Amino acid sequence: PRTRDTERRHFDGIALFAITPMRLRDGRADVDFDGFERNMRFYVGHDGAYSLAVCGAVGEYHVLTPEERSRLIGIAAAVKGKRLLVAGAGGDTTPEAIANVQAAAKAGADAAVLLPSEAVGKGGDSALVTHYLEIARAVDIGVIPYRAPVTRFNVDTVVRLLDHPRILAVKEQTGDLRFIRDAAVRTNGRMPLVPAHERMAPFSHLAGATGITSGHANFAPTRSMELWQQLRSGRTQEAMALADRFAQLDTLRATYGDVLIKAGLELRGLAGGPLRKDKEALPAEGRQALERIMREMGVLEGTTR
């Protein structure tokens, strides 16, 4: 069985949250399954410490059908090799979330990241603890709670989640460095803590995070991994300079949304396409700015980065 102790090594680095490529057909955005497989082979072709997450928020979980999610997870499972495969799973009730985690497990996922639900989050910490523990008891794959603005739980909750070995890690999305530090101290480093964004990585690392989650790693995987390795080896100034590059990407993403990540993949010759809900392409000025930053980061000089 997969437990926090057996899987911990997978959280000591980057968690690459894959986009779901789409193709426009007759005004519809259809999932590009062939493109997804091509992208996955690109991801797993890189050495380094990282795990793979599919059908998460950046993977457009909420606009995919259950059948599409299962097929995407199956494609990823077939090519992942020794990587840990995490799949998004959500639900506004505990039974709904359990059913979606079980579907992800059946499709081949090793773990599920529990996507935020405002309905569940309204119950506060007590309800969230019950929700997460009931899911962990009901499934046979790993479970990763997601701390977001609508599911913001406290450090006491993290301590209580230590009781179940199938709760593998905590994904922290709010940028709360104090929470990361307090959770690292209170759990004595026993719970892997994985916050978001390369630009925050130097500070997250100092606070006690074990790794980070990344959308930009879709098109710049080695740079994301290099940043975390720089931090782990004490090369702080280099890491800060690279984090500042990623901050430029974050500024563009705040302006244009997740279509920016799809455009980054397209610039690498991989599959991107439109978002399903908003089919607009990245505007020319956004694409030019993205290409300039990618060239400055060294990720458009061949295919090794």
Side-chain angles (χ1 to χ4, degrees), residues 51-169:
S51 55
L52 295 168
V54 301
C55 301
V58 74
E60 300 181 77
Y61 174 91
H62 292 289
V63 296
L64 297 172
T65 68
E67 294 76 20
E68 287 170 335
R69 291 179 206 142
S70 291
R71 187 172 170 189
L72 288 163
I73 295 166
I75 290 169
V79 302
K80 73 182 181 72
K82 295 180 180 178
R83 306 285 178 191
L84 185 78
L85 178 62
V86 179
D92 288 336
T93 66
T94 302
E96 183 184 355
I98 288 170
N100 285 326
V101 174
Q102 289 173 334
K106 185 177 180 181
D110 302 315
V113 57
L114 300 173
L115 298 178
S117 161
E118 190 170 357
V120 175
K122 282 178 180 176
D125 278 75
S126 178
L128 285 166
V129 168
T130 301
H131 179 69
Y132 296 139
L133 289 177
E134 283 189 19
I135 294 168
R137 293 184 191 112
V139 303
D140 58 5
I141 62 172
V143 172
I144 303 170
Y146 189 131
R147 188 176 188 264
V150 299
T151 48
R152 198 187 299 263
F153 46 84
N154 62 33
V155 175
D156 288 338
T157 291
V158 181
V159 173
R160 292 176 67 184
L161 294 177
L162 280 171
D163 289 341
H164 203 293
R166 267 199 298 277
I167 295 183
L168 303 186

Side-chain angles (χ1 to χ4, degrees), residues 226-265:
E226 182 182 353
L227 171 59
W228 198 254
Q229 189 55 46
Q230 287 170 345
L231 291 166
R232 293 190 67 174
S233 60
R235 291 148 58 200
T236 307
Q237 290 305 312
E238 290 176 69
M240 288 292 288
L242 185 49
D244 289 341
R245 293 284 195 197
F246 278 105
Q248 294 179 294
L249 291 173
D250 279 346
T251 300
L252 282 183
R253 188 174 173 188
T255 302
Y256 298 110
D258 286 344
V259 72
L260 183 91
I261 296 173
K262 295 194 168 192
L265 278 162

